Amino acid sequence: RGCSRSTRVLFHEYSIKAAILIQRWYRRYVAHLEMRRRYTWNIFQSIEYAGEQDQLQLSSFFSFMLDNFTHMNGNGPGNKYLISHLLDSVVDPLTEEVRQLKYEQIVVPESYCGPRLSFPLSVTDTNALLSAFKEEQTLHGKYVLQLLYETKKFLKQMPNIIYLSTSYAKEITICGDLHGRLDDLLLIFYKNGLPSAENPYIFNGDFVDRGKKSTEIIIILFAFLLLYPDHMHLNRGNHEDHIMNLRYGFTREVMQKYKTHGREMLQLLQDVFSLLPLATVIDNKVLIVHGGISDKIDLDFLSTVERHKMLLKYVLFHMVIICLIQVVDILWSDPKNQSGCSPNSFRGGGCYFGPDVTQALLQKHGLCLLIRSHECKQEGYELCHNGQVITIFSASNYYEEGSNRGAYVKLGPELVPRFFQYQVSRSTRKLTLHQRVCVAEGSALRALKEKLYAHRSDLMAAFQQYDIDNTGRISTSEWAQVVESVLRLDLPWRTLRPRLARLGADGNVEYESCFEDISPGEPIPPVTPNLAETLYRYRTDLEIIFNIIDKDHSGQISIEEFRQTWKLFSSHLGVAVNDQTIDDMARSIDFNKDGSIDFNEFLEAFRVVHKLVIKEQQQG
């Protein structure tokens, strides 16, 4: 019996030790996963903001053209033609009455089986739209044009700042960025109910871009806006902008879904977006804006701005920046923990505003809370500045499946925020935490490797400055320093190094190994390696410029337009490319020799592919 007791005691001690070991292992395992999840998040966010920085730098290219096109290649008609294509907005000579009649006379074929809207809209119409979009149906172009026309008429009457009261409803629901994620919007309506007089909503900008269902989202939001004009409210975001839409996908989506009426829709959308209100105030206590504030924001001044002139804010950025800088701050700014207000260099526009700036604005206008969106948060929302600033973001899985939750916030008469989180789940339901982290991490690292490849020449030149003996290797600290100095993404490069580059036998980094997993996707036209790399790096900017030139969205531009565009762009970038090289490149991609270039095929040659992904697909 004594032996049995001592055995039990010994077994108990072993059990405790085993449990402690398992607990320690699990804690290390979870900590390691958390570290990977955090740097994955940092990669996604840094690359996103770098893209927005590129977008604002593109506006400086338009300014450059305005300032310099007369000096480029003389004063020839080619340059003037190009500039007019890029900068002249299309003026529609039709009166409002004629335009309305034109839309009404568009014939809808009997074969069309989607919703048929009648104006003014009814609950039956909004229900039909929701049901149709759940079934992957497309609303006919006639009804989209009519909806946009009616929305434009309505928004013209609206002030810059909307003032609401909770006394007319129990609670008001505020939603953040949706970015073309229709499933998130439908899930919000399922959980929280449809907009109505008893259930008012505020959608705080960035309805479009990035996601594949931006068109459906704005149709639903605009329909509810017309149905419940006193209970459905839309603030403008920084993505409600023509040039942003060219870069981030909304323009392409509209033209793919509406080939016949797409161009006219895009023109109407420019007007509609420029007329969206800039801010909403609840009970004279809660300010809601898309991005944030700055130390220059004055709500009284913002009430007087002619907001529709923001239509030109990027194309003619240097002409309007003085009078509309406050609007740019409203749309682009982010909060920071440090006091003060400084330029938002990471995004390239707006400000970083500290808790003192928030406190000063709230006190000046008798407010108690600022609600903003604009930044993806892992939990869908975040509080900062001692609880005086709330960030709300409603697009779940924004970067990758499982990357983040979405959220919305409800405010009642007591103005105490109540948060509701959700996540649209499909494949991620079947994945473990480890698998979800791996999927997101893989996607982030592929995007990062593309960045490395696009800056290969600059990186190699900087690496070789440290590699005096041409060994192909440098220290880890030197490698990290070079990568940050070239890419400027503010990432933990030492931590990321094992996923990006190999170590040699001597413990130093084989720096060329960070380009091994990437290669050109298509046979490259006859261009020098340096020019090819420039095209890889600025591929998106060129696509935007070509799309602006391509007024009818046919996917083709003339050889002369191609030449002039590239000459201006290469001059702006300071890339030395002679005329003969440009002409040779233009001729090589005029495949059928008709004097036109399919620029989508041309740009496809400058898309990179990931060798490891191809290998996995072949093995799978």
Side-chain angles (χ1 to χ4, degrees):
R1 191 177 293 177
C3 181
S4 174
R5 182 180 178 186
S6 64
T7 302
R8 286 200 301 272
V9 170
L10 192 61
F11 178 77
H12 180 65
E13 288 176 355
Y14 282 147
S15 298
I16 291 174
K17 288 179 180 179
I20 291 171
L21 284 173
I22 292 170
Q23 191 179 56
R24 284 176 181 170
W25 172 85
Y26 182 73
R27 284 175 177 170
R28 283 197 298 268
Y29 171 76
V30 170
H32 183 63
L33 274 183
E34 177 62 19
M35 179 191 71
R36 289 170 62 189
R37 189 177 69 88
R38 286 188 182 184
Y39 73 56
T40 295
W41 184 266
N42 288 341
I43 293 171
F44 280 133
Q45 202 162 57
S46 295
I47 290 175
E48 178 191 3
Y49 291 171
E52 292 184 345
Q53 208 171 51
D54 291 343
Q55 179 66 29
L56 289 178
Q57 286 169 0
L58 185 61
S59 70
S60 71
F61 168 57
F62 293 125
S63 298
F64 170 85
M65 287 196 299
L66 286 170
D67 296 336
N68 295 283
F69 78 92
T70 54
H71 308 297
M72 295 284 300
N73 228 11
N75 209 1
N79 281 318
K80 290 182 178 178
Y81 180 63
L82 172 66
I83 296 299
S84 67
H85 259 58
L86 282 170
L87 302 180
D88 288 354
S89 57
V90 177
V91 179
D92 192 338
L94 298 180
T95 63
E96 294 298 304
E97 293 77 12
V98 173
R99 188 200 291 263
Q100 185 174 12
L101 184 62
K102 175 187 170 184
Y103 297 156
E104 289 173 358
Q105 291 175 341
I106 295 174
V107 176
V108 179
E110 290 185 12
S111 59
Y112 170 72
C113 56
R116 293 175 182 263
L117 305 183
S118 58
F119 295 86
L121 295 176
S122 66
V123 172
T124 303
D125 292 312
T126 53
N127 287 341
L129 285 173
L130 291 169
S131 299
F133 292 155
K134 287 176 186 176
E135 298 298 320
E136 302 286 330
Q137 292 180 345
T138 301
L139 182 65
H140 191 275
K142 169 182 178 173
Y143 304 119
V144 179
L145 287 168
Q146 286 181 303
L147 178 69
L148 294 175
Y149 173 76
E150 295 296 329
T151 303
K152 178 182 173 181
K153 271 202 315 184
F154 171 75
L155 289 174
K156 276 184 175 179
Q157 311 165 35
M158 300 300 288
N160 291 347
I161 302 176
I162 308 295
Y163 288 87
L164 305 179
S165 172
T166 54
S167 62
Y168 299 108
K170 290 182 180 178
E171 287 183 304
I172 297 176
T173 302
I174 301 107
C175 301
D177 301 38
L178 286 167
H179 278 302
R181 268 76 170 181
L182 179 61
D183 286 344
D184 285 299
L185 178 61
L186 296 177
L187 185 55
I188 291 168
F189 286 164
Y190 174 77
K191 290 170 68 72
N192 194 59
L194 294 176
S196 68
E198 297 75 33
N199 191 27
Y201 276 85
I202 301 167
F203 285 86
N204 198 25
D206 279 14
F207 321 123
V208 300
D209 282 334
R210 302 189 188 276
K212 297 178 180 178
K213 300 284 187 177
S214 296
T215 310
E216 287 80 357
I217 282 180
I218 60 163
I219 289 171
I220 291 171
L221 295 182
F222 291 164
F224 277 112
L225 178 69
L226 296 177
L227 181 61
Y228 299 111
D230 296 324
H231 311 288
M232 180 72 166
H233 307 280
L234 308 178
N235 282 348
R236 185 176 184 176
N238 64 307
H239 277 262
E240 277 66 64
D241 175 84
H242 172 55
I243 303 297
M244 293 293 282
N245 299 157
L246 281 165
R247 176 181 286 268
Y248 292 105
F250 181 49
T251 299
R252 190 182 304 112
E253 179 189 330
V254 171
M255 290 308 301
Q256 286 173 349
K257 291 178 179 177
Y258 295 98
K259 292 180 172 61
T260 303
H261 302 291
R263 185 183 175 193
E264 194 164 3
M265 288 177 191
L266 290 169
Q267 291 170 12
L268 262 176
L269 279 162
Q270 286 189 49
D271 295 337
V272 171
F273 286 168
S274 70
L275 289 167
L276 286 167
L278 301 172
T280 304
V281 176
I282 299 177
D283 292 345
N284 293 312
K285 289 295 180 183
V286 180
L287 173 65
I288 304 169
V289 297
H290 176 71
I293 59 174
S294 70
D295 54 4
K296 296 179 178 62
I297 293 296
D298 183 328
L299 296 184
D300 298 327
F301 171 79
L302 278 173
S303 298
T304 67
V305 167
E306 295 180 83
R307 67 182 185 276
H308 64 279
K309 291 188 176 178
M310 283 299 287
L311 184 65
L312 303 175
K313 71 181 183 293
Y314 295 120
V315 175
L316 302 177
F317 198 75
H318 66 310
M319 292 185 177
V320 300
I321 190 70
I322 296 171
C323 63
L324 293 180
I325 191 168
Q326 288 195 40
V327 181
V328 175
D329 288 345
I330 284 281
L331 298 179
W332 282 87
S333 296
D334 294 311
K336 63 172 183 176
N337 294 326
Q338 297 77 20
S339 294
C341 191
S342 57
N344 193 332
S345 56
F346 213 46
R347 284 191 191 268
C351 298
Y352 288 121
F353 61 98
D356 57 326
V357 177
T358 298
Q359 180 70 18
L361 181 103
L362 296 181
Q363 283 184 349
K364 177 180 178 180
H365 294 284
L367 303 166
C368 65
L369 182 65
L370 169 64
I371 298 179
R372 43 91 62 178
S373 302
H374 194 45
E375 283 185 289
C376 181
K377 299 297 178 184
Q378 288 184 342
E379 296 302 319
Y381 73 94
E382 185 177 90
L383 280 72
C384 64
H385 294 185
N386 301 313
Q388 291 185 315
V389 173
I390 292 172
T391 297
I392 195 78
F393 196 86
S394 299
S396 65
N397 308 307
Y398 179 61
Y399 293 123
E400 182 62 64
E401 281 288 322
S403 64
N404 66 283
R405 294 181 180 182
Y408 55 89
V409 59
K410 295 172 77 76
L411 286 178
E414 300 82 14
L415 301 180
V416 176
R418 295 198 300 137
F419 300 98
F420 296 83
Q421 298 168 290
Y422 54 86
Q423 189 157 21
V424 173
S425 299
R426 287 196 182 95
S427 58
T428 49
R429 273 192 192 147
K430 302 173 184 177
L431 299 180
T432 64
L433 173 63
H434 179 265
Q435 288 171 326
R436 287 200 298 271
V437 170
C438 285
V439 168
E441 182 186 49
S443 178
L445 289 170
R446 285 193 293 276
L448 191 54
K449 287 176 181 179
E450 288 178 18
K451 280 280 182 188
L452 290 168
Y453 191 83
H455 292 79
R456 179 171 182 161
S457 294
D458 292 342
L459 287 167
M460 285 298 294
F463 288 146
Q464 286 163 359
Q465 285 185 348
Y466 287 100
D467 184 18
I468 300 170
D469 298 326
N470 289 324
T471 63
R473 296 185 297 276
I474 57 176
S475 70
T476 299
S477 62
E478 290 168 343
W479 179 86
Q481 185 178 335
V482 166
V483 176
E484 177 56 34
S485 67
V486 172
L487 297 188
R488 303 189 177 201
L489 293 176
D490 193 25
L491 289 172
W493 296 108
R494 286 170 174 270
T495 303
L496 291 169
R497 196 279 312 154
R499 311 305 304 271
L500 299 173
R502 285 193 311 270
L503 289 183
D506 59 356
N508 287 323
V509 179
E510 296 177 354
Y511 50 81
E512 286 193 72
S513 65
C514 60
F515 309 116
E516 286 179 352
D517 295 339
I518 298 281
S519 65
E522 298 284 340
I524 298 176
V527 298
T528 63
N530 284 347
L531 181 55
E533 185 179 312
T534 301
L535 286 161
Y536 281 120
R537 191 181 308 179
Y538 296 103
R539 183 183 177 282
T540 304
D541 289 344
L542 284 167
E543 184 175 10
I544 292 169
I545 296 164
F546 288 153
N547 270 305
I548 295 173
I549 296 171
D550 179 28
K551 290 280 187 179
D552 61 356
H553 296 275
S554 65
Q556 293 192 326
I557 58 174
S558 72
I559 285 184
E560 183 58 29
E561 287 169 341
F562 177 86
R563 287 187 183 119
Q564 296 298 333
T565 300
W566 184 245
K567 285 178 185 177
L568 284 164
F569 197 61
S570 60
S571 177
H572 172 61
L573 296 173
V575 179
V577 186
N578 61 48
D579 290 353
Q580 187 62 47
T581 301
I582 295 172
D583 290 346
D584 290 345
M585 185 163 58
R587 279 194 296 271
S588 72
I589 55 180
D590 178 14
F591 299 112
N592 56 3
K593 307 305 177 189
D594 63 350
S596 294
I597 291 171
D598 184 330
F599 64 83
N600 290 315
E601 284 189 19
F602 166 69
L603 291 169
E604 193 61 31
F606 297 95
R607 190 188 298 276
V608 299
V609 298
H610 297 262
K611 295 177 183 176
L612 293 179
V613 173
I614 291 175
K615 193 180 294 183
E616 288 169 6
Q617 290 171 347
Q618 290 171 344
Q619 290 173 349

